[in-house]
């Protein structure tokens, strides 16, 4: 189902495209390669098709950690497999839950990951060192059950008093271990899983029914939800739920994947900061970046993160203040210009950047058209725009951008190369 997008920059690029069949061949599994396309001098093609389907290629369960506006592992995998060799470094400056890093590590690549939100590293890094479930069970059993005195934060609308006491005890213990320098891989794993189990809409979560796990309701909103549903928080056994989720995350992990993760963990970089300034990464050290920046003002990261921040002893207001929330395109573009300049610095010659943007404002604003000139100005050449058009089904797990009116979802990825 190859079709061309039809506006602005995209039109200009498509016009330069002579042999559409060669592109269709690339888009299919059988033929073509980036090298061949480049060699044929076809700059900036637009490929529109379903590059992957949910069923086509199963992703590792290890990815199943929810985060607002995350993408599917198939997206980074498409580029990692085609554009890097094992051992090369793959980077994501807007890492979120760490989809790029985890997928790259599973595939035997070295990884670097950055996000201004400190929750990102807390969620991503532990999955490069998955523990044995028995060790998790033993650690959970050893954590003292006594809850510390309340801290003034009212959580009664989310949790049964006994569940809340367990959560507070776990929180206090994890924070004390970290503060005392005693935190180890098991603590980090438990912290990651517990952060993900805090709230959600099924009995697999610690809370009474609430919004999906990546969007914490405010206390006031939760009271309303409880009223409307005539519900009071039931008891949930937090240790059992942490163990259950641990088993789910580890299910199907192969020996080869474990070995790849372990190797990647040894050299992984997890940075917490603004994507425009990453002194923790050397010049020309990255073979491939796969990333998805914050889109204009569509996601309220601060409001969505308050409970996760509380659990991890983070100030959600301070976290929110750093997150790019540009409401207008010029402000967004100014930030992305800085990001692309920094990516040019860290990308090795011949390395690539796959920059995923969504269709926003009902498809009227195509951010790839804004990103292309910024990448060129930063010194990249633009190889093409890939539009992953996915037929919408109810069970399809979406990409954080809403379903558009045509009943499809699209990811729009600008692919750059550093000459
Ligand atoms: C669309 S999400 C990325 C999701 C990610 N692809 C995943 O699969 O989880 C955008 C991320 O950018 C982060 N962010 C926003 N402004 C930033 C900035 N100036 N520098 C670094 N990260 C930033 C947000 O915290 C958020 O995690």
């Amino acid at each position: 189902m190859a079709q061309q997008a039809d506006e602005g920059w995209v039109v200009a690029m498509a016009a330069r495209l002579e042999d559409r069949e060669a592109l269709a061949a690339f888009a299919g599994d059988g033929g073509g390669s980036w090298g061949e396309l480049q060699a044929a001098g076809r700059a900036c093609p637009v490929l529109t098709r379903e590059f992957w389907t949910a069923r086509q290629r199963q992703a590792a369960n290890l990815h199943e950690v929810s985060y607002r506006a995350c993408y599917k592992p198939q997206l980074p995998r498409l580029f990692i497999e085609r554009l890097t060799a094992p051992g090369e470094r793959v980077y994501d400056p807007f890492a979120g839950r760490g989809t790029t890093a985890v997928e790259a590590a599973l595939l035997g690549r070295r990884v670097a990951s950055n996000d201004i939100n400190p929750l990102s590293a807390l969620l991503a890094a532990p999955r490069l060192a998955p523990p044995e479930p028995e060790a998790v069970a033993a650690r959970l059993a050893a954590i003292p059950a006594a809850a510390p005195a309340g801290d003034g934060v009212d959580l009664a609308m989310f949790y049964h008093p006994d569940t809340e006491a367990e959560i507070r005890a776990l929180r206090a213990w994890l924070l004390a271990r970290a503060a005392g320098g005693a935190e180890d891989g098991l603590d980090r794993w438990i912290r990651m899983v517990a952060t993900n189990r805090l709230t959600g809409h099924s009995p697999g979560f610690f809370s009474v029914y609430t919004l999906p796990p990546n969007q914490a309701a405010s206390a006031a909103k939760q009271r309303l939800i409880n009223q409307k549903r005539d519900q009071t928080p039931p008891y949930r056994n937090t240790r059992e739920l942490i163990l259950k989720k641990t088993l789910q995350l580890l299910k199907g992990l192969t020996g080869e994947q474990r070995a790849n993760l372990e190797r990647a963990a040894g050299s992984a970089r997890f940075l917490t900061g603004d994507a425009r300034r990453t002194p923790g990464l050397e010049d020309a050290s990255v073979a491939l970046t796969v990333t998805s920046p914050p889109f204009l003002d569509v996601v309220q990261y601060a409001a969505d993160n308050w409970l996760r921040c509380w659990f991890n002893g983070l100030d959600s207001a301070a976290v929110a203040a750093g997150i790019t929330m540009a409401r207008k395109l010029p402000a967004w573009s100014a930030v992305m210009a800085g990001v692309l300049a920094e990516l040019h610095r860290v990308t090795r010659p011949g390395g690539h950047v796959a920059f995923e943007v969504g269709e926003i404002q009902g498809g009227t604003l195509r951010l790839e058209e804004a990103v292309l000139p910024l990448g060129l100005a930063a010194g990249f050449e633009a190889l093409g725009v890939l539009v992953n058009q996915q037929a919408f089904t109810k069970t399809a797990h979406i990409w954080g951008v809403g379903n558009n009116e045509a009943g499809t979802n699209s990811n729009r990825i600008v692919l750059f190369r550093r000459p």
Side-chain angles (χ1 to χ4, degrees):
M1 62 170 234
Q3 70 189 60
Q4 299 297 319
D6 57 0
E7 283 172 29
W9 263 91
V10 177
V11 170
M13 291 184 305
R16 276 188 258 147
L17 185 65
E18 284 154 32
D19 183 355
R20 290 169 192 225
E21 277 177 21
L23 290 170
F26 168 77
D29 282 339
S33 72
W34 291 106
E36 285 164 26
L37 286 173
Q38 275 170 255
R42 293 187 196 98
C44 237
V46 180
L47 304 180
T48 301
R49 58 160 285 139
E50 191 168 20
F51 281 97
W52 56 85
T53 63
R55 262 182 315 149
Q56 198 178 19
R57 310 184 79 192
Q58 271 261 281
N61 285 355
L62 195 58
H63 285 289
E64 294 299 320
V65 158
S66 59
Y67 190 87
R68 202 70 204 275
C70 61
Y71 48 47
K72 282 186 156 190
Q74 286 91 338
L75 191 157
R77 190 195 299 170
L78 181 78
F79 300 99
I80 294 165
E81 284 183 336
R82 286 171 195 256
L83 299 174
T84 66
E88 287 193 303
R89 196 179 288 278
V90 176
Y91 173 49
D92 186 347
F94 299 106
R97 66 175 178 169
T99 317
T100 298
V102 170
E103 187 64 13
L106 284 167
L107 291 168
R109 273 60 171 178
R110 292 193 300 143
V111 305
S113 192
N114 173 74
D115 200 291
I116 196 127
N117 183 349
L119 286 173
S120 173
L122 290 177
L123 295 175
R127 282 178 291 142
L128 266 52
E132 294 303 330
E134 299 73 28
V136 176
R139 175 60 54 85
L140 285 170
I143 296 175
D151 55 3
V153 179
D154 183 7
L155 300 172
M157 64 296 293
F158 290 100
Y159 304 115
H160 182 281
D162 295 344
T163 311
E164 184 179 331
E166 289 179 21
I167 294 170
R168 286 185 182 277
L170 178 60
R171 174 180 186 266
W173 194 81
L174 289 173
L175 291 178
R177 292 271 291 181
E183 186 188 64
D184 63 10
L186 279 174
D187 296 328
R188 285 189 282 273
W189 178 269
I190 290 169
R191 175 196 292 279
M192 180 272 295
V193 176
T195 299
N196 273 280
R197 296 293 94 188
L198 285 174
T199 59
H201 45 357
S202 81
F205 295 95
F206 301 163
S207 72
V208 67
Y209 178 97
T210 179
L211 299 180
N214 51 10
Q215 309 168 46
S218 66
K221 173 135 195 220
Q222 187 58 34
R223 277 193 211 95
L224 283 177
I225 295 175
N226 292 352
Q227 222 171 43
K228 209 167 144 199
R229 296 173 60 91
D230 193 19
Q231 62 181 17
T232 44
Y235 172 67
R236 309 268 204 234
N237 185 323
T238 58
R239 288 180 190 181
E240 274 177 15
L241 292 179
I242 291 170
L243 254 186
K244 191 170 163 213
K245 181 66 182 175
T246 295
L247 290 169
Q248 282 168 357
L249 286 168
L250 300 179
K251 194 168 169 212
L253 201 61
T254 66
E256 187 189 347
Q257 287 174 325
R258 270 190 183 272
N260 283 344
L261 290 170
E262 200 181 318
R263 255 195 310 277
S267 64
R269 305 270 173 88
F270 286 94
L271 312 173
T272 298
D274 192 303
R276 287 168 287 184
R277 284 177 293 281
T278 51
L281 295 179
E282 293 88 8
D283 292 359
S285 60
V286 171
L288 169 69
T289 290
V290 185
T291 196
S292 169
F295 306 147
L296 294 168
D297 57 355
V298 290
V299 175
Q300 299 295 328
Y301 292 99
D304 289 342
N305 282 326
W306 76 270
L307 241 175
R308 289 177 165 200
C309 283
W310 169 81
F311 181 73
N312 288 292
L314 301 167
D315 176 353
S316 65
V319 168
I323 292 180
T324 299
M325 289 282 289
R327 285 173 202 284
K328 293 270 189 285
L329 190 56
W332 186 87
S333 295
V335 175
M336 294 310 140
V339 173
L340 283 156
E342 182 70 346
L343 287 177
H344 188 267
R345 180 186 72 76
V346 302
T347 303
R348 69 159 164 74
H352 295 83
V353 173
F355 207 89
E356 193 264 339
V357 294
E359 262 178 6
I360 54 169
Q361 298 178 3
T364 55
L365 187 54
R366 292 189 169 165
L367 290 178
E368 71 270 26
E369 296 174 25
V371 165
L372 263 163
L374 299 177
L376 297 177
F380 288 105
E381 59 190 26
L383 293 189
V385 177
L386 284 79
V387 181
N388 183 53
Q389 195 89 39
Q390 189 167 38
F392 174 63
T393 64
K394 253 202 149 164
T395 50
H397 192 284
I398 316 306
W399 305 80
V401 285
N403 308 321
N404 67 26
E405 283 166 11
T408 58
N409 298 287
S410 75
N411 294 95
R412 319 178 74 80
I413 303 145
V414 186
L415 185 63
F416 294 110
R417 180 175 173 280
R418 179 174 167 174

